[in-house]
Amino acid sequence: MGAISAKMERFAIERISKKLVEKNVNEEIKIYEKFIAFFEEKYREKFSEFKPKPNSNYNAYIFTCEKNYLKVLKDFVEKNKRNKKEIKSLIEFVGQNNNGIYMNGLMAAVMNDNQYMVKYLINDLSVDPNILTDNNQNALHFCAKYGNNGPSKSVIVYILLQKMRPDSINIIDTSGKTPLDYATKHLKN
């Protein structure tokens, strides 16, 4: 009798888990569709630049952070400020840029040296810079690997380091490299 009830319990847990995953996916789709509609309606000219490659996971939110369209994001957040859970779902989404690199909006902003977008995402929207991609990379990896070595890079590093956990600063990615490894390589080139 105990084996049957344990089996039934596992089955019930699996069903509940599946429903929760489906609900979360549907919520993410809903907020993303809202963002696309808002972006297309209010910023038609900028939206016309958004050209995802076929079968990519490139989305308008990552595009917005990549291009430093801070006003677009601020306006959307202001319009939807009552939906904090939806906003959080959007800003933590990990998708691809148009080159197929997996990242979230913060990583896209970091990669393109968009210091004001980085500051807004971290300080105002509380985006977690410790979030990892499937390659075990965080925003600091992206900062070290990409972009220019100008003054904005120093500001971005400073903003990131203020909010990162110590264990996340030296995390090793799937290539066996830390952000410091990428930074030293990037400086040599």
Side-chain angles (χ1 to χ4, degrees):
M1 186 77 167
I4 292 174
S5 64
K7 201 175 199 180
M8 289 175 66
E9 189 176 318
R10 262 196 322 273
F11 178 71
I13 290 171
E14 286 173 11
R15 278 186 44 214
I16 292 168
S17 297
K18 186 177 177 184
K19 284 184 179 181
L20 286 173
V21 167
E22 287 172 2
K23 183 180 178 200
N24 288 340
V25 168
N26 288 336
E27 287 176 7
E28 286 179 13
I29 290 170
K30 186 174 128 187
I31 187 64
Y32 180 65
E33 286 172 349
K34 233 185 202 180
F35 183 74
I36 286 275
F38 174 81
F39 191 15
E40 189 173 18
E41 178 189 327
K42 300 284 185 188
Y43 297 94
R44 189 172 307 278
E45 185 179 304
K46 289 178 178 165
F47 188 77
S48 67
E49 298 172 28
F50 176 59
K51 294 179 177 34
K53 292 177 182 174
N55 302 320
S56 78
N57 199 6
Y58 187 39
N59 73 47
Y61 168 66
I62 291 174
F63 170 79
T64 301
C65 295
E66 215 173 39
K67 296 294 185 182
N68 204 25
Y69 291 152
L70 187 56
K71 182 164 177 35
V72 173
L73 187 56
K74 281 184 173 183
D75 287 352
F76 180 76
V77 168
E78 180 60 32
K79 182 179 178 189
N80 294 282
K81 63 184 170 193
R82 290 191 186 117
N83 302 323
K84 291 182 191 259
K85 187 177 176 187
E86 287 182 353
I87 296 295
K88 188 159 183 63
S89 172
L90 177 73
I91 63 176
E92 291 183 350
F93 175 81
V94 175
Q96 293 173 301
N97 72 355
N98 220 14
N99 294 323
I101 300 170
Y102 280 91
M103 64 183 66
N104 63 16
L106 174 62
M107 294 166 187
V110 165
M111 185 176 178
N112 291 282
D113 298 324
N114 300 330
Q115 74 179 31
Y116 297 106
M117 181 67 82
V118 170
K119 185 176 180 184
Y120 176 69
L121 291 169
I122 290 181
N123 294 339
D124 296 340
L125 297 183
S126 302
V127 173
D128 183 0
N130 301 293
I131 291 174
L132 299 172
T133 65
D134 58 338
N135 293 330
N136 213 40
Q137 294 180 340
N138 59 35
L140 200 55
H141 284 89
F142 279 76
C143 190
K145 284 173 72 171
Y146 305 104
N148 301 315
N149 288 323
S152 65
K153 180 72 77 184
S154 300
V155 172
I156 291 170
V157 169
Y158 178 76
I159 293 168
L160 292 174
L161 291 177
Q162 285 183 317
K163 300 290 181 170
M164 293 188 80
R165 294 186 316 267
D167 64 321
S168 192
I169 292 170
N170 291 315
I171 197 158
I172 298 169
D173 69 8
T174 55
S175 298
K177 296 186 178 179
T178 67
L180 186 57
D181 294 328
Y182 287 112
T184 53
K185 181 181 177 187
H186 190 73
L187 286 173
K188 288 178 186 174
N189 296 336

